[in-house]
Amino acid sequence: MSLNVKQAGPERTRSWVGRRRRLAARARRGTIAHVTSRPATAQHLCDLARLRRVRDRIDREYAQPLDVEALARGAHMSAGHLSREFRRAYGESPYAYLMTRRIERAMALLRRGDLSVTAVCFAVGCSSLGTFSTRFTELVGMPPSTYRRHADRATAGMPPCVAKQVTRPVRNREARIPHPRIA
């Protein structure tokens, strides 16, 4: 490994390029973990607090036009870092979490039965009826118009808190896959 060395009078000083190369080599060898100015646990706790604030903001402002860049700016993080850390902490991207909240709210509004599918789409913050219908069908398993027609029968006689839990949308990766029995 050659070092970039500059002559500066009687003493030698290493250039920043050489320093970066040495640090990169140590990192590849595994001698340096995560380099930060704070201890790893403090940094992790700080990131988790920011992620909780982002999740709470999504829960509060789901009907507003939110995007990952705006959420990242509010949390003082880059959009890429927010997406990676949010997925690591909660198992889905910020956008997927936002859409799940919107679909949950849309399901509740469609169960009431007094709003059209288009009105529900715009009430929950979606700007495209086509995207809303596609996402709704992915998460719920039926189009919003069909759900609206059959929803009153599915939750008849249930307290609202139970109906919300029973009708909560389930992503495909969360759905149980029946294992075939091998005889």
Side-chain angles (χ1 to χ4, degrees):
M1 178 169 107
S2 66
L3 299 175
N4 292 339
V5 180
K6 293 181 183 176
Q7 283 295 108
E11 59 201 48
R12 295 178 180 190
T13 57
R14 295 180 177 158
S15 71
W16 283 104
V17 173
R19 179 173 165 76
R20 279 191 295 208
R21 285 183 187 154
R22 285 189 313 280
L23 287 174
R26 286 186 202 150
R28 283 192 300 272
R29 288 191 306 259
T31 58
I32 296 178
H34 183 69
V35 179
T36 181
S37 60
R38 290 189 244 177
T41 57
Q43 181 68 41
H44 182 67
L45 292 175
C46 182
D47 283 348
L48 284 177
R50 287 180 183 169
L51 293 174
R52 277 193 302 271
R53 285 194 294 271
V54 168
R55 190 187 61 190
D56 291 345
R57 181 177 175 196
I58 291 171
D59 289 339
R60 268 191 327 271
E61 300 175 12
Y62 67 89
Q64 303 300 320
L66 293 174
D67 59 356
V68 177
E69 288 80 16
L71 294 169
R73 275 193 307 274
H76 306 292
M77 302 170 107
S78 71
H81 184 66
L82 173 67
S83 292
R84 281 189 305 275
E85 294 301 314
F86 196 94
R87 183 181 300 275
R88 185 178 300 153
Y90 299 113
E92 60 185 343
S93 69
Y95 178 75
Y97 184 81
L98 172 63
M99 287 307 293
T100 302
R101 292 298 145 259
R102 286 178 173 171
I103 298 302
E104 281 181 358
R105 183 64 182 142
M107 290 171 71
L109 292 173
L110 289 171
R111 278 194 305 271
R112 278 188 3 201
D114 60 339
L115 295 173
S116 68
V117 173
T118 305
V120 168
C121 167
F122 293 121
V124 298
C126 293
S127 57
S128 166
L129 184 58
T131 302
F132 170 74
S133 295
T134 302
R135 288 288 184 186
F136 193 96
T137 304
E138 282 177 5
L139 289 173
V140 180
M142 65 178 75
S145 55
T146 306
Y147 182 83
R148 185 173 182 253
R149 282 194 303 269
H150 299 295
D152 57 346
R153 288 184 244 145
T155 59
M158 279 188 212
C161 59
V162 174
K164 181 180 178 184
Q165 190 64 29
V166 169
T167 59
R168 186 171 189 186
V170 177
R171 294 195 166 275
N172 290 337
R173 63 178 167 70
E174 296 173 351
R176 291 185 179 187
I177 300 171
H179 297 290
R181 291 189 174 192
I182 300 175

